[in-house]
Amino acid sequence: MYFEWAKGLTPADQEQMLAILNAVAMKEGTNGIPRPLTAEEGAEFAAGLDGAVRRGDCYQLLGRDRPGGRIVSFATLERVKMNPARAHVVEVKRMASAPEIRGFGVYLLEGWRVILDKCREIGCDLINIDVSEDGPYRLWQKLGFRVYLVLEDYARVGERRLKGYYLSVYLDEACKALERLQ
């Protein structure tokens, strides 16, 4: 797999990312989207993310099957910008992988290493993530994250109410956990 930090998202990138989100929503529903996005929702999502990347409001990691190839995974890092006292904090958001590569394997570990390197580069040493109970919160715990809050009414899918797990890890702890797993 080939990883790159995007400076912007081409129309092809946007289309491939939306296809992954929709495939995961149809198969597992664990990426925070309980159903495939409509064309309008997808266009709004992609345009908003592209704008944020181009403005430098976030960092967008793309995992491709080969250099210049098809996107098979992606993750967004967002720093806490509005509060200088929290400049050391980064959030992992909008993370998804194509169903054929999902799971705890070499792609995940390689991508996680790239994310940790970026956190070090931008001076962030506390990483936060939140995920619904039907998401991979146990996987994040294997990567060193600790649950600091459980929200009972995190998401609603029809009549179903899902718990949400808020997790955090310090960069050094995450690096040590990754070393143990490799």
Side-chain angles (χ1 to χ4, degrees):
M1 178 163 315
Y2 174 78
F3 292 99
E4 66 182 73
W5 291 100
K7 304 271 191 252
L9 301 174
T10 68
D13 291 343
Q14 295 175 28
E15 182 180 317
Q16 291 169 34
M17 291 171 71
L18 290 170
I20 291 170
L21 282 177
N22 286 339
V24 173
M26 287 186 61
K27 183 176 174 138
E28 301 171 20
T30 60
N31 63 1
I33 301 172
R35 59 169 173 69
L37 296 172
T38 66
E40 184 177 296
E41 292 167 333
E44 184 178 334
F45 168 84
L49 184 55
D50 179 51
V53 171
R54 289 180 190 278
R55 285 188 307 275
D57 292 340
C58 66
Y59 303 93
Q60 186 62 56
L61 180 64
L62 303 177
R64 297 183 185 273
D65 58 1
R66 66 186 184 288
R70 180 177 66 99
I71 295 172
V72 294
S73 66
F74 58 89
T76 308
L77 296 182
E78 286 186 15
R79 296 180 73 169
V80 177
K81 290 191 180 235
M82 299 306 288
N83 184 343
R86 296 194 62 221
H88 65 289
V89 180
V90 68
E91 295 183 66
V92 179
K93 297 182 168 190
R94 294 178 288 272
M95 184 175 221
S97 296
E100 67 269 17
I101 68 157
R102 288 179 67 89
F104 196 81
V106 68
Y107 299 126
L108 173 75
L109 297 178
E110 287 177 24
W112 185 233
R113 168 67 68 198
V114 172
I115 289 170
L116 296 178
D117 289 345
K118 179 59 100 176
C119 290
R120 183 173 287 106
E121 175 188 320
I122 64 175
C124 291
D125 68 349
L126 181 60
I127 307 163
N128 291 332
I129 191 166
D130 59 271
V131 62
S132 69
E133 68 181 280
D134 65 348
Y137 69 93
R138 287 186 181 97
L139 177 138
W140 292 110
Q141 289 175 311
K142 288 180 184 177
L143 292 170
F145 281 82
R146 292 190 181 106
V147 175
Y148 66 88
L149 175 71
V150 178
L151 182 62
E152 293 297 321
D153 193 12
Y154 174 80
R156 297 177 182 180
V157 180
E159 296 297 313
R160 189 170 164 225
R161 292 177 187 233
L162 300 171
K163 289 180 187 175
Y165 293 87
Y166 290 77
L167 303 101
S168 67
V169 67
Y170 282 98
L171 180 59
D172 289 343
E173 293 171 16
C175 291
K176 288 176 188 173
L178 181 60
E179 287 174 20
R180 286 191 298 271
L181 293 169
Q182 291 182 320

